[in-house]
Amino acid sequence: MEPGRDELSRGYEQAMAEFRGGDYGAASAHLQRLVERAPRNATLWTSLGAALQLLGRYEQARACYGHAIQLDPGLVDAHSNLGTVLQGLRRIDEAMASFRTALSIDPGHLDALAGVGALLDWQGRYAEGLELLEPFAGGGTAHPELVVSYARLLMRAGRLDEAKGMLGAALAASRHGPAHRQRMLFLLGDVCDALGLYDEAFAHYREGNALKQVRFEPGRWRAAIDEVVTAFTRPVLAGLPRAAAREPAPVFIVGMPRSGTSLAEQILASHPAVHAAGELECVAAIAAGLVQRYGTPAPYPGGAAGLPAAVLERMAADFRRAAGPAGPGIRRITDKTLGNPFYLGLIEMMFPNARIVYCRRDALDNGLSCYFQNFAGTSLPFCYDLAHIGAYHRELERLMCHWREASALPIHELVYEDLVTDQERATRALVDFARLDWDDRCLRFHELGRVVKTVSHDQVRRRLYASSMGRHRHYERYLGPLREALGDMRGEAGAA
């Protein structure tokens, strides 16, 4: 039996208070209990989806919005929210369709308009986005999503002072929730950085990072690396079974966030013999299913030692299905999931003909770029504290040093600074490492009509530029925690 209207209203108000306060875990738990008691309430399902989405649980949020739309096809917020979660999943065409459906119900729905503007930004259609949003945002608005979308488009168009004024006014005038405030602060930091207002920019980034509800424990990360290093010594890995080496061979692009992995993928994707699969996150899912799906007696990493060749063949087939059809003439499949270094031992067992591209960048520039980026969800919890970024970076380098010694897979280091200063030489070396014939289109990667599904979508549409090299010098006074955590890695150009 469903609860009474007053009881339901009180429960919903409490959940929304938790939501507005930024406690999305408590809000989602509360809303889950409410939808179990009132399963035909479309508004509850929509609100539950919003809480789950802000926790980074996109597929669950998508299911909630879908359920709400089944119950009430005219619920505009459900369609608009579905668009935002599909955008987060980088399903751009589907996201646009959801926003358009919302606008067919309510042509003035500001969340949906902001969503369309954000997608036009992703597609590089900046003038079109500004024209769409100008009637709703041009005179000033406190609507947080519209502020963010419009201000970002203003920044893309070089109208930095307008973007700064709009964001500053919105932050000062309204009491936005943590998620909205955070997005505005990071964007305002970007605008101030572009204007050369470095102290002001860092203040905004610092406040935005402080609002991110994530937790990272460097000791646990270090212990996890220790476990992998112990499980996959060179003699042990050399003696483990392998799946058959099949074509097209995968190329795994790894490195720190903001180290050039999207750029490396875009260069290779410009080659007609490459199928770029993006961030598949498939290997991690395979490793997580060792016991339940693949029947090993122990979880990863130790459980990998018990995998027979037949099971490795199943795993490799699961990966290829996730990557999608390669098509005729394709000789390489790329996967640029950032977490893959943790699984390179398993990757070697699944794909003995795989090749690894390790993207590296000046450690201080790289760390600062991570700190200045408001990544979606909670998948990169180390990126919101300079000391945590340095600790993660050191352990990643230790892990990659281990694979250089223990793995038989070829590893190519693509140094960001080398690519910027001598593009053709670095690009030719990358294409050659992938065992592909040279193609001039790899030098014109910015012309590729492909929607890049990462935060680097704007950078890969432009020619290479050197302005991000040495960027940390503008922020030297703030880098003590990062330098200390990096230790002897600090300040080394290309020491990712």
Side-chain angles (χ1 to χ4, degrees):
M1 183 172 129
E2 290 195 1
R5 186 179 298 273
D6 290 343
E7 182 184 354
L8 192 65
S9 179
R10 286 193 300 270
Y12 185 71
E13 288 174 6
Q14 181 179 342
M16 288 299 97
E18 293 164 342
F19 186 97
R20 288 189 294 271
D23 192 349
Y24 307 119
S28 65
H30 203 145
L31 287 162
Q32 182 65 53
R33 291 192 293 270
L34 290 176
V35 297
E36 288 170 0
R37 300 181 66 189
R40 298 195 59 76
N41 188 308
T43 298
L44 288 178
W45 282 106
T46 302
S47 298
L48 175 58
L52 291 170
Q53 184 175 343
L54 287 168
L55 289 170
R57 292 153 65 178
Y58 292 145
E59 288 293 353
Q60 291 172 272
R62 180 187 175 197
C64 288
Y65 297 141
H67 197 62
I69 290 167
Q70 283 186 330
L71 292 169
D72 184 356
L75 187 58
V76 64
D77 286 344
H79 289 285
S80 179
N81 287 8
L82 179 59
T84 63
V85 83
L86 287 168
Q87 182 184 1
L89 291 167
R90 308 302 186 244
R91 301 175 71 154
I92 304 301
D93 292 341
E94 293 174 64
M96 185 67 84
S98 289
F99 290 133
R100 296 296 189 194
T101 300
L103 291 172
S104 71
I105 299 169
D106 178 2
H109 194 271
L110 296 183
D111 278 332
L113 285 163
V116 173
L119 290 179
L120 293 173
D121 169 44
W122 274 88
Q123 296 169 331
R125 297 156 62 185
Y126 307 136
E128 189 177 343
L130 284 169
E131 183 179 359
L132 172 72
L133 299 187
E134 175 73 29
F136 303 92
T141 177
H143 187 276
E145 293 297 332
L146 205 63
V147 167
V148 168
S149 287
Y150 190 65
R152 183 173 284 111
L153 288 163
L154 287 171
M155 184 178 72
R156 304 282 195 222
R159 295 160 61 179
L160 297 171
D161 288 328
E162 292 177 69
K164 183 176 185 291
M166 183 177 193
L167 289 163
L171 283 163
S174 301
R175 294 177 58 108
H176 299 292
H180 286 133
R181 186 170 181 83
Q182 183 186 35
R183 293 181 65 202
M184 291 184 196
L185 285 163
F186 273 94
L187 184 54
L188 185 53
D190 291 343
V191 172
C192 290
D193 178 79
L195 287 167
L197 304 173
Y198 302 119
D199 290 337
E200 188 176 347
F202 194 86
H204 296 312
Y205 288 129
R206 180 164 50 197
E207 186 179 352
N209 277 291
L211 290 173
K212 194 74 173 183
Q213 293 197 338
V214 294
R215 184 178 181 184
F216 177 72
E217 297 180 24
R220 293 186 64 180
W221 170 236
R222 186 165 50 250
I225 300 300
D226 288 341
E227 193 175 358
V228 170
V229 168
T230 301
F232 290 103
T233 63
R234 186 179 184 87
V236 168
L237 184 53
L240 294 176
R242 301 287 192 274
R246 303 182 189 280
E247 297 292 335
V251 177
F252 293 91
I253 302 168
V254 301
M256 283 286 289
R258 313 297 292 163
S259 65
T261 56
S262 292
L263 185 57
E265 179 194 43
Q266 187 79 346
I267 291 170
L268 290 176
S270 301
H271 197 289
V274 174
H275 168 58
E279 296 184 357
L280 287 176
E281 300 184 3
C282 181
V283 176
I286 288 171
L290 283 190
V291 175
Q292 290 189 340
R293 179 171 171 76
Y294 301 105
T296 63
Y300 186 85
L307 288 167
V311 174
L312 291 167
E313 293 283 359
R314 283 178 54 204
M315 291 176 165
D318 288 343
F319 175 91
R320 292 186 185 279
R321 276 193 294 272
I330 295 298
R331 296 175 52 205
R332 298 289 178 264
I333 299 171
T334 64
D335 176 3
K336 64 169 292 288
T337 306
L338 292 174
N340 278 340
F342 196 70
Y343 306 104
L344 287 189
L346 180 60
I347 284 172
E348 181 175 341
M349 297 167 69
M350 294 164 56
F351 302 107
N353 61 339
R355 305 181 80 74
I356 311 300
V357 175
Y358 180 29
C359 295
R360 310 182 76 198
R361 182 182 178 187
D362 177 271
L364 294 177
D365 282 343
N366 200 163
L368 197 66
S369 186
C370 288
Y371 189 71
F372 287 178
Q373 181 62 54
N374 183 22
F375 295 98
T378 58
S379 61
L380 299 171
F382 58 89
C383 282
Y384 306 98
D385 180 285
L386 288 172
H388 289 172
I389 293 169
Y392 183 92
H393 203 160
R394 277 188 67 86
E395 293 304 312
L396 174 63
E397 176 63 13
R398 178 166 73 95
L399 180 60
M400 291 305 299
C401 285
H402 167 74
W403 293 127
R404 290 188 198 100
E405 295 296 323
S407 175
L409 295 179
I411 299 175
H412 173 71
E413 293 187 359
L414 178 63
V415 178
Y416 177 81
E417 289 79 10
D418 291 347
L419 189 59
V420 170
T421 56
D422 194 346
Q423 179 187 357
E424 182 166 350
R425 184 189 63 80
T427 302
R428 284 183 177 274
L430 175 63
V431 173
D432 183 65
F433 173 76
R435 293 186 172 177
L436 296 167
D437 296 330
W438 175 250
D439 192 293
D440 284 339
R441 282 171 284 192
C442 294
L443 290 174
R444 304 191 305 273
F445 62 86
H446 54 282
E447 297 176 359
L448 187 63
R450 168 176 172 262
V451 176
V452 174
K453 300 178 180 181
T454 72
V455 296
S456 301
H457 63 95
D458 178 61
Q459 289 93 327
V460 299
R461 289 198 200 93
R462 291 182 273 163
R463 296 177 185 273
L464 285 173
Y465 52 94
S467 59
S468 58
M469 290 174 57
R471 186 185 186 192
H472 70 271
R473 297 188 184 96
H474 300 303
Y475 297 94
E476 283 286 353
R477 61 187 293 187
Y478 304 110
L479 298 183
L482 177 60
R483 286 184 176 275
E484 184 176 355
L486 287 169
D488 56 11
M489 287 179 58
R490 64 180 180 254
E492 296 179 8

